[in-house]
Amino acid sequence: MKAVYTELHRSHDPQFFLVRGVVKRTTEQPERADRLLAGLKAGKHTLVEPTVFGQGPRARVHSAEYLRFLEEAWDAWVALGDSGSEMIANIHPVRYGATYPTHIVGRLGWHAADTAAPIGKGTYAAACAATDVATTAAQLVMDGEDAVYALCRPPGHHAYADMSGGFCFLNNSAVAAAHLRLKHERVAILDVDVHHGNGTQGIFYERPDVLTVSIHADPVFFYPFVWGYAHERGAGRGLGANLNIPLARGTGDDDYIKAIGEAEKTIRAFAPGALVVALGLDASEHDPLAGLAVTTAGFRRIGAAIAQLGLPTVFVQEGGYLSDILGANLTAVLGGFEEAR
């Protein structure tokens, strides 16, 4: 399996992370990519440089005002003259009867769902590069590859059409799915990150052509807390095209595979032409976020179960944080997929 990757992700090196009132160094560090690269090397995957697609693929899923904000944000922040080293919103207007602001502090709050996606000098460049990685992987699959892995950083599945959040700025999985839609009438997204793919759900919630399925730690006790419940099924023409499968804290391999089986039934009924896997590895028993307890052998089983769907597949890297087992878990899930194919 080919793997798409660029070093441009390193320009995004966030520092701020607020956890229960305590400011810590974020877990979304450049070192994540190094450990994932080690996993790709162990699996003997061929690295491919991304094609630069420009704004088109991003504009299919993100609003024009949000893209303009991200492009202009850092220069406007610096121009304030007394600003910090990262952009962190201190207002969240929630948009009840609100007017879109012109001041950069107001725009920052308007476009931020939380404080977990600080913007630095190189964030926009890295986020754009990540969408190029995802789009390149999708294009390779459209051109005939059975499956391609996209090492995207920063991740994307918490990003809405016009809001950042949860370490995410541009929704790489949604961008890949929208690109696949150029060829396929229907596309499915299966999100196996420990967190609910709330941004992806929001982007496609009223659309019947993209099925969104998320298997994640129950939001009763886990981020994002206010999205990801089983009763969220889509709306309007998209009613029934969203499936959430929340899991109890500490869920291990066997119960996780049962959830994959439930997702498989829905995906098969939808009959998509291609599949995007939002590949979080943070369901690991060793992940520092400690929501679920999937073993390395379990990740291999997850890869094998996804392969049984028999669909052209784009793996888009989402979460998975610093642990000694991160690279091995990536090797396992891609290896399990290849062996079962």
Side-chain angles (χ1 to χ4, degrees):
M1 186 188 306
K2 291 178 180 176
V4 188
Y5 171 74
T6 174
E7 285 280 302
L8 293 176
H9 77 90
R10 296 190 189 280
S11 66
H12 176 60
D13 189 7
Q15 303 297 311
F16 181 93
F17 187 32
L18 186 63
V19 183
R20 300 183 187 91
V22 179
V23 176
K24 301 181 179 181
R25 171 80 192 279
T26 181
T27 52
E28 211 296 278
Q29 301 173 26
E31 186 184 345
R32 291 181 59 232
D34 296 330
R35 299 194 183 200
L36 293 167
L37 283 170
L40 293 174
K41 182 178 180 180
K44 297 181 171 55
H45 298 281
T46 302
L47 294 183
V48 177
E49 284 283 330
T51 299
V52 177
F53 284 85
Q55 201 75 303
R58 296 185 281 274
R60 293 188 193 117
V61 300
H62 292 289
S63 71
E65 66 183 10
Y66 180 55
L67 293 173
R68 187 165 54 251
F69 159 74
L70 289 176
E71 184 175 11
E72 299 171 351
W74 183 253
D75 287 344
W77 183 256
V78 171
L80 293 175
D82 56 354
S83 51
S85 60
E86 291 185 308
M87 298 178 65
I88 302 158
N90 63 307
I91 62 161
H92 296 282
V94 227
R95 307 184 185 183
Y96 287 116
T99 298
Y100 186 72
T102 56
H103 193 282
I104 186 58
V105 174
R107 292 169 73 196
L108 175 60
W110 183 277
H111 290 298
D114 55 40
T115 61
I119 297 173
K121 182 178 181 180
T123 297
Y124 179 65
C128 288
T131 64
D132 284 334
V133 168
T135 307
T136 300
Q139 186 62 51
L140 286 169
V141 167
M142 290 164 64
D143 290 342
E145 294 285 339
D146 179 53
V148 178
Y149 167 78
L151 204 174
C152 294
R153 189 188 162 269
H157 73 149
H158 296 308
Y160 285 85
D162 63 352
M163 282 194 298
S164 65
F167 308 155
C168 302
F169 303 91
L170 297 170
N171 196 310
N172 307 310
S173 292
V175 166
H179 195 70
L180 290 167
R181 276 285 290 109
L182 299 178
K183 179 176 181 179
H184 300 284
E185 183 178 351
R186 290 180 301 280
V187 173
I189 302 174
L190 172 61
D191 193 321
V192 296
D193 192 279
V194 76
H195 304 99
H196 174 241
N198 56 304
T200 312
Q201 172 177 295
I203 287 168
F204 296 112
Y205 205 61
E206 297 186 12
R207 285 178 53 170
D209 57 329
V210 178
L211 171 70
T212 47
V213 180
S214 182
I215 303 171
H216 50 269
D218 196 323
V220 165
F221 70 89
F222 215 64
Y223 183 93
F225 299 107
V226 295
W227 297 289
Y229 294 88
H231 67 263
E232 298 162 14
R233 300 184 54 246
R237 295 179 64 230
L239 182 62
N242 186 81
L243 173 65
N244 290 328
I245 306 175
L247 301 176
R249 187 188 299 273
T251 293
D253 295 355
D254 290 344
D255 286 336
Y256 200 100
I257 294 300
K258 289 178 182 177
I260 291 275
E262 183 180 344
E264 179 184 354
K265 294 176 185 177
T266 299
I267 293 169
R268 288 192 184 280
F270 187 73
L275 175 69
V276 174
V277 178
L279 182 61
L281 298 170
D282 41 7
S284 168
E285 60 181 344
H286 298 297
D287 193 88
L289 300 183
L292 303 178
V294 176
T295 68
T296 300
F299 278 108
R300 186 169 291 275
R301 292 171 66 187
I302 289 170
I306 293 169
Q308 295 302 316
L309 288 164
L311 293 167
T313 302
V314 179
F315 288 92
V316 176
Q317 187 63 52
E318 295 290 355
Y321 301 99
L322 297 182
S323 72
D324 292 339
I325 209 73
L326 179 60
N329 287 341
L330 177 59
T331 305
V333 72
L334 298 183
F337 180 92
E338 291 178 319
E339 290 166 4
R341 274 295 220 234

